[in-house]
Amino acid sequence: MKFSYIFLSAILFIYTYPTYSGVFKQIDEHGNVSYSNLQSSNAEKVDLPPIVVVPSVDTEGVDERIKKRRENKIIREQHKEIEQKIAEESSLLENIKAEYKDGNPDRLGSERNYQRYLDRVERLKKEISVRETNLQALQRELEKLPQIN
């Protein structure tokens, strides 16, 4: 029984040996180049350079670095979003201040009644106050965000 295993192993080794004997280059009559691991009559053996084995990278702390990068990305997005809101709020405030003209806005044609004019002036004053409060709140939010390392 043991002899049959050895004999069978030897036959399999001899049968499969040519497949592991190298790489062969063959050029056919049309000039097409083909590579194979089986040797044919007009094939020549190709000497390949040795395989370069790159050692594995030390993966210690990779999860922590990935987590840190994700956190930094989220913080950057939050910074960008708040800065965009600050820019929008500043633009609105400037437009309202331009209309307010330091308490002396132009009188509109629909404001024949002086009380309507005063109501609009008061509304503009309140809106300026609200926009300035919003800007201050957004600046505080921006300052609360952690700095990116």
Side-chain angles (χ1 to χ4, degrees):
M1 186 77 168
K2 194 173 190 181
F3 177 73
S4 62
Y5 283 123
I6 294 173
F7 182 70
L8 183 61
S9 298
I11 289 179
L12 286 174
F13 177 75
I14 292 170
Y15 178 72
T16 59
Y17 180 73
T19 61
Y20 297 111
S21 60
V23 176
F24 299 93
K25 177 180 176 182
Q26 178 180 355
I27 302 173
D28 65 6
E29 61 275 358
H30 301 291
N32 298 324
V33 178
S34 62
Y35 294 90
S36 176
N37 61 342
L38 301 175
Q39 187 174 10
S40 63
S41 60
N42 59 347
E44 59 185 56
K45 187 169 181 165
V46 178
D47 290 326
L48 298 175
I51 296 175
V52 177
V53 178
V54 179
S56 65
V57 177
D58 182 23
T59 59
E60 185 176 324
V62 168
D63 292 334
E64 188 62 34
R65 288 189 305 237
I66 290 172
K67 181 181 175 186
K68 187 75 170 168
R69 286 182 184 161
R70 286 182 181 154
E71 289 172 357
N72 286 344
K73 181 181 178 189
I74 291 169
I75 292 170
R76 276 192 299 274
E77 288 172 355
Q78 289 172 342
H79 269 273
K80 189 175 181 179
E81 183 178 325
I82 291 175
E83 288 170 352
Q84 184 179 12
K85 287 180 182 179
I86 288 173
E88 290 171 7
E89 202 67 32
S90 296
S91 175
L92 289 172
L93 179 62
E94 291 302 315
N95 291 341
I96 293 168
K97 282 185 176 181
E99 184 182 346
Y100 185 64
K101 293 184 180 178
D102 292 328
N104 296 318
D106 294 334
R107 211 165 165 182
L108 303 176
S110 63
E111 297 173 335
R112 292 185 188 153
N113 183 344
Y114 188 65
Q115 187 59 46
R116 280 188 168 176
Y117 171 76
L118 293 177
D119 290 344
R120 184 170 66 90
V121 171
E122 188 62 32
R123 181 185 55 80
L124 289 172
K125 196 185 300 185
K126 285 180 183 177
E127 197 166 343
I128 288 172
S129 175
V130 167
R131 298 292 175 195
E132 287 174 342
T133 304
N134 288 349
L135 272 174
Q136 291 169 357
L138 287 169
Q139 288 292 346
R140 283 192 303 271
E141 284 296 316
L142 190 62
E143 291 170 2
K144 285 181 187 177
L145 287 178
Q147 296 299 319
I148 298 174
N149 298 336

